[in-house]
Amino acid sequence: MGADGLVLDVEAWARVLTGLYGPVSTRVDPGEGFRAAVRVRELGAVRVSAVRCPPVEVVADAVPCDERGARHHLALVLDGELVLDQAGRTTRVGRGDLVLFDTGCPFRLRPTAPWNAVVTAHLAPTPPTPSAPLSLPPQSPGGPGRLTARELPGREGLAALVAGFLAGLARDATPYRPCEELRLGTVVTDLVGALRDQWLGEEDPEPPVLLPRIQAYVLRHLGDGGLTPDRVAAAHHISTRYLHRLFQRQGLTVAAWIKAQRLERCRRDLADPHLRRLPVYAIGARWGFANAADFSRAFRTAYGITPTCFREGEGGGGGEGRGVPAVRVRSLPRNSARSANDRHATPQQTHR
C-alpha cells in the first residue's frame, strides 16, 4: 500500500478525505496538535485506504459521483471505534467488525477512540467500462438502503474472510505489478459483493422454504454428536447469527430444538419392544448423546422420569396397561418442531 503518509494539519486531512469520499467537512479537537497517518493503494478501479487517526468528525451531504468515482465504502475497524450516522440510523462499529455506507447519501462518520485504525474498500457502483473495469455488482431493487449504516460482524463466515483479506491489505506493502493490482481489485470487489448479497438475502429470507430445509438437515444428522449451530449454519451458507434469528422467530433456540428432537426419538426407541435388547445408553448414543449421564439427566428434565424407568413403564417389559409417563417437553410450533420432515424421519435416516 506504499509508505505511510503522515498528515499534520486539518486542511491536509480534509484534502485526503475529499479524495476518498468526495467533498466533506471535518472537525477535530482544537486542544491538541493534529496528527494522522494515511496509506492508499490503487487496485485498478478499487481503492483501499488504511487510516490511523485521533477522534474526528467527517460530515458530507449527498455526494454526486461520476462514473469512475467511488460511492460504496466498506469500512473495517482494526482498532478503536467508528460511529456512522446515515439513512436515519446510528451504527457503532467496534474492533473486527465492518460497516457499509453510501456517499450518495448524507452521512456523518466519527472515529471516537483516542486512536483509531480503519481500513476501507472504496468501490464504484457503475457498470464496467474500459476505463473502470471493476465495480460493485448490481444490487436487487431496494437493496442498498437495507445495508447502509448496518454493522456487519466480522468474526465468522464470509464476513470474517472479507475482514481478514482487508486487514491483510492494510499490512501489505508489496509493490505489485499493474496486472496483479487489477486481480487484487477484482478479489476485493467480488468479496464485498458476495458479502452484500449474503446480508441482503438474510434481510429478506424465505422462512417457509429455508427453515424446513434446515430442520430436515438437522433431523438427518441427529445421530451425529458433533452437530452444532455453527455446522448447521455452514451447511446452509448462512451465518450462525442468522440461524439463531430464524429459530428465534419461532420462539425457539437452535440448541434446545436439536435436543428436543433427539430426546423425542430416544423416547420412541425406548418405547419400541423391538429395541428392547438395545441398552439405554446405546439408544442415547444413537441419537447424539455421547455421555450416558448427560442423556439420563436431559431425559429426566424433559419427561420427569429416567430413561430406564420410562422403558420399564412403557417399553413392553412392564406389560400392557401401564400408563405412559407424562411428557413435559414444551409444545413447539407446527411449522417448526412438528414438521412433516419430523414425522417422516426414521433412525436409519440419521446414519448415512
Side-chain angles (χ1 to χ4, degrees), residues 164-219:
F165 191 77
L166 290 180
L169 283 177
R171 296 188 299 267
D172 187 15
T174 304
Y176 293 106
R177 296 176 298 169
C179 64
E180 294 171 331
E181 292 177 340
L182 285 172
R183 290 182 185 135
L184 285 172
T186 300
V187 172
V188 173
T189 301
D190 289 345
L191 283 174
V192 175
L195 180 63
R196 183 212 62 201
D197 289 345
Q198 180 191 63
W199 277 80
L200 284 176
E202 293 184 2
E203 287 289 311
D204 186 20
E206 300 179 87
V209 175
L210 183 56
L211 186 57
R213 187 188 311 154
I214 291 172
Q215 291 169 338
Y217 173 87
V218 169
L219 295 174

Side-chain angles (χ1 to χ4, degrees), residues 12-345:
W13 174 248
R15 287 196 297 271
V16 168
L17 294 181
T18 295
L20 294 174
Y21 301 111
V24 296
S25 61
T26 62
R27 300 188 184 95
V28 301
D29 185 350
E32 298 182 5
F34 181 81
R35 179 184 291 258
V38 181
R39 303 171 69 197
V40 179
R41 165 158 274 169
E42 305 282 349
L43 303 176
V46 175
R47 280 183 173 180
V48 176
S49 66
V51 173
R52 302 186 72 222
C53 65
V56 298
E57 182 178 72
V58 181
V59 180
D61 295 326
V63 178
C65 64
D66 59 34
E67 65 178 21
R68 299 189 61 183
R71 173 172 170 176
H72 294 143
H73 310 263
L74 182 70
L76 166 67
V77 178
L78 298 177
D79 201 7
E81 181 185 63
L82 192 65
V83 180
L84 172 66
D85 300 308
Q86 190 171 47
R89 292 187 287 268
T90 297
T91 302
R92 292 181 177 273
V93 185
R95 183 176 183 177
D97 292 333
L98 305 113
V99 66
L100 180 70
F101 60 103
D102 180 355
T103 49
C105 305
F107 70 92
R108 183 171 65 153
L109 198 61
R110 291 171 289 151
T112 60
W115 197 249
N116 306 272
V118 180
V119 56
T120 305
H122 310 270
L123 304 106
T126 55
T129 67
S131 60
L134 300 178
S135 64
L136 194 60
Q139 303 184 58
S140 58
R146 288 186 289 168
L147 271 186
T148 298
R150 291 193 186 277
E151 177 187 4
L152 309 178
R155 294 172 178 81
E156 60 182 29
L158 182 59
L161 179 64
V162 175
F165 191 77
L166 290 180
L169 283 177
R171 296 188 299 267
D172 187 15
T174 304
Y176 293 106
R177 296 176 298 169
C179 64
E180 294 171 331
E181 292 177 340
L182 285 172
R183 290 182 185 135
L184 285 172
T186 300
V187 172
V188 173
T189 301
D190 289 345
L191 283 174
V192 175
L195 180 63
R196 183 212 62 201
D197 289 345
Q198 180 191 63
W199 277 80
L200 284 176
E202 293 184 2
E203 287 289 311
D204 186 20
E206 300 179 87
V209 175
L210 183 56
L211 186 57
R213 187 188 311 154
I214 291 172
Q215 291 169 338
Y217 173 87
V218 169
L219 295 174
R220 289 195 304 270
H221 295 84
L222 280 178
D224 184 351
L227 186 66
T228 63
D230 286 343
R231 178 172 163 185
V232 173
H236 293 83
H237 310 290
I238 60 176
S239 68
T240 304
R241 171 183 170 183
Y242 180 58
L243 175 69
H244 287 301
R245 193 188 312 162
L246 277 178
F247 277 78
Q248 286 169 358
R249 290 174 182 173
Q250 307 296 326
L252 306 167
T253 66
V254 181
W257 191 84
I258 293 175
K259 180 184 284 188
Q261 300 306 308
R262 285 173 166 162
L263 288 170
E264 174 62 16
R265 277 140 186 88
C266 290
R267 187 189 69 82
R268 294 178 189 177
D269 286 359
L270 289 169
D272 187 346
H274 297 97
L275 300 177
R276 183 69 177 171
R277 292 185 178 180
L278 197 62
V280 168
Y281 73 85
I283 287 179
R286 187 184 197 190
W287 294 108
F289 291 99
N291 184 282
D294 289 344
F295 167 50
S296 181
R297 187 162 44 248
F299 193 94
R300 181 164 189 166
T301 298
Y303 297 104
I305 192 172
T306 65
T308 300
C309 291
F310 180 89
R311 167 177 269 180
E312 292 302 319
E314 182 185 348
E320 295 183 5
R322 292 198 178 187
V324 178
V327 176
R328 296 191 300 175
V329 173
R330 59 169 292 182
S331 176
L332 301 177
R334 182 191 307 175
N335 68 334
S336 179
R338 309 300 181 190
S339 64
N341 293 323
D342 187 355
R343 290 194 299 273
H344 294 298

